[in-house]
Amino acid sequence: MGRINVTKSSMPSFEEYTNELRPVWESRWLSNRGMASKEFETELKKYLGCENVWLFANGHVALEVALQALGIKGEVITTPYTHVSTTNAIVRNGLTPVFVDVKEDNYTVNPELIEGAITEKTAAIVATHVYGFLCDIEAIDKIACKHNLKVIYDAAHAFGVTLNGVSAANFGDAAMFSTHATKVFHTIEGGIVTYKDAEMFKYMRCLVNFGFINEEEVVRIGTNARMNEFEAVMGICNLRHIDEEIAKRRLVGERYIERLAGIPGIKLIEPEKGLVWNYAYFPVIFDGYKENRNEIKAKLEKEDIYARKYFYPTTNCFSCYKEQYGSLDVPVALHAAECVLTLPIYADMTVEDADRICDVILR
Ligand SMILES: *Cc1c(COP(=O)(O)O)cnc(C)c1O
């Protein structure tokens, strides 16, 4: 029996990719928003049902640029139960992260704790849609309106997710999708920002290209964050198959649910009503089970199965943040980080593989 990794990238056929690549190859326009990028943007807008998208070299830099483009200054309310990218993007913009705890049910920011963390310096909320489960959009919106805060979602996990038919691209002032090779939808490396205010376009365009507004003038201190054309071609191809890929993930996810739901000491996250989930990750919380998370992980590894402690540790506990934020009062996040294991899930995984994994866990 072969090795099972936590994920495996979805790929178009080699022929599909090379056929799509040919005109780019012949044009020798390899980056700086060429024909493939423009086509990819058009297709993305259709798929995501949103007005404004911008393409980036990766998800992290996309989030950094979105925060800069929105002109955020001061304090940002966020959670430590996320990829370190979220926290780094805040701090690298010269902003102060103010951590609040997450909700028990899906580990996204607890809106009840947000108002208590607001000061006169608070400018924004940066919240992660964890594992493709969405934050409490409505509650966050209300608070943001009342206190005049910007809302930016780290939607790196949420490509293809909809709530009552509306895609995750349409919530908040901006949303960032990572299209890294390990995500549900990928462009090898890449990122996408969707945004509400069409005016933001000016800032994105200049910030991804060092701050140039024309050949001779740099108006803002930008970076180099451009997606290249080979990546855009991968995006065009993968977007054609995304719905089938998610449907294949669903078969694996449903088998996990069938086998693991209701087992004492094992908790699964349930999608809220109206949510169409993308099965981006399959988190299982071992809390009071006969073996703890680390023991289960080790047991799986003995069988050549590689699950992931994700998110572990919480970002406030990394050595670069520990001194300042280590002793935070975020008990739900800290507990989740000790108990959660994301099981392998990808489109080409078989239901038999899921059974093999469940057998090891339940043995
Ligand atoms: C993957 C990921 C990122 C970073 O995206 P990259 O494309 O790898 O830079 C940020 N936030 C979350 C939640 C992620 O999962």
Side-chain angles (χ1 to χ4, degrees):
M1 276 185 291
R3 177 185 172 108
I4 305 177
N5 285 326
V6 71
T7 191
K8 192 190 253 182
S9 299
S10 291
M11 299 288 266
S13 74
F14 186 70
E15 290 68 32
E16 182 179 357
Y17 183 70
T18 50
N19 281 338
E20 197 66 41
L21 185 63
R22 189 174 300 280
V24 169
W25 192 279
E26 284 166 358
S27 75
R28 303 206 186 192
W29 185 332
L30 305 184
S31 191
N32 296 67
R33 201 159 175 248
M35 60 173 109
S37 292
K38 286 186 178 145
E39 182 184 336
F40 184 36
E41 287 171 8
T42 305
E43 294 304 316
L44 276 172
K45 286 182 205 173
K46 273 191 242 164
Y47 183 80
L48 295 171
C50 67
E51 301 279 325
N52 305 302
V53 306
W54 199 263
L55 305 177
F56 289 86
N58 58 67
H60 175 76
V61 82
L63 188 56
E64 269 192 31
V65 168
L67 293 173
Q68 192 182 357
L70 285 164
I72 293 161
K73 300 267 182 304
E75 293 178 1
V76 170
I77 294 173
T78 188
T79 87
Y81 195 74
T82 184
H83 192 298
V84 75
S85 166
T86 323
T87 308
N88 286 358
I90 294 167
V91 176
R92 286 171 58 84
N93 265 288
L95 305 167
T96 305
V98 175
F99 291 109
V100 299
D101 208 355
V102 296
K103 293 189 292 165
E104 284 277 0
D105 61 350
N106 70 1
Y107 305 134
T108 63
V109 65
N110 185 343
E112 289 173 16
L113 302 174
I114 293 176
E115 286 200 286
I118 293 175
T119 71
E120 71 279 3
K121 291 192 195 132
T122 308
I125 299 165
V126 175
T128 302
H129 298 312
V130 179
Y131 310 127
F133 300 108
L134 298 189
C135 298
D136 191 340
I137 307 282
E138 232 175 275
I140 293 170
D141 232 25
K142 235 189 221 158
I143 297 165
C145 268
K146 183 169 157 201
H147 297 273
N148 195 25
L149 308 177
K150 299 278 188 212
V151 179
I152 299 94
Y153 287 112
D154 179 335
H157 295 182
F159 195 95
V161 174
T162 61
L163 181 65
N164 301 318
V166 180
S167 96
N170 290 299
F171 302 123
D173 293 284
M176 175 282 282
F177 297 90
S178 162
T179 56
H180 180 247
T182 56
K183 312 292 183 185
V184 170
F185 169 74
H186 81 89
T187 60
I188 310 171
E189 287 275 0
I192 301 162
V193 171
T194 58
Y195 52 98
K196 198 160 272 166
D197 178 5
E199 287 289 294
M200 240 176 104
F201 159 80
K202 299 193 291 223
Y203 305 118
M204 304 278 213
R205 181 173 56 182
C206 110
L207 288 171
V208 299
N209 196 27
F210 307 105
F212 279 106
I213 47 161
N214 59 40
E215 259 177 60
E216 301 185 354
E217 180 60 341
V218 172
V219 287
R220 274 158 213 275
I221 305 168
T223 183
N224 173 355
R226 300 177 302 249
M227 179 179 282
N228 71 50
E229 293 296 286
F230 281 57
E231 291 166 337
V233 167
M234 183 60 91
I236 292 167
C237 295
N238 280 338
L239 195 58
R240 289 188 190 123
H241 306 289
I242 182 70
D243 289 337
E244 302 153 48
E245 295 293 290
I246 291 174
K248 290 204 263 173
R249 284 173 173 266
R250 184 179 306 127
L251 296 178
V252 175
E254 279 174 357
R255 178 56 64 102
Y256 279 143
I257 293 167
E258 211 178 294
R259 297 281 311 270
L260 301 175
I263 304 280
I266 291 183
K267 185 183 130 188
L268 306 180
I269 299 177
E270 278 190 41
E272 67 184 294
K273 208 169 144 274
L275 186 92
V276 177
W277 187 33
N278 61 356
Y279 298 82
Y281 298 86
F282 200 90
V284 178
I285 297 95
F286 294 96
D287 193 2
Y289 188 57
K290 59 189 176 188
E291 287 158 300
N292 68 31
R293 185 269 312 268
N294 293 349
E295 288 164 344
I296 296 285
K297 182 170 185 284
K299 199 158 96 167
L300 288 167
E301 280 171 16
K302 275 203 197 107
E303 306 288 334
D304 225 12
I305 297 162
Y306 298 86
R308 186 172 175 203
K309 297 195 253 177
Y310 193 60
F311 300 107
Y312 174 86
T314 54
T315 66
N316 61 310
C317 294
F318 282 115
S319 57
C320 60
Y321 293 124
K322 204 172 176 154
E323 297 256 309
Q324 242 173 317
Y325 308 112
S327 61
L328 280 178
D329 186 22
V330 286
V332 180
L334 294 174
H335 187 65
E338 291 301 325
C339 298
V340 71
L341 193 64
T342 58
L343 301 182
I345 189 163
Y346 46 89
D348 291 335
M349 195 174 134
T350 64
V351 168
E352 289 71 32
D353 287 336
D355 274 329
R356 189 177 136 203
I357 292 165
C358 293
D359 289 343
V360 176
I361 292 170
L362 297 172
R363 192 167 67 207

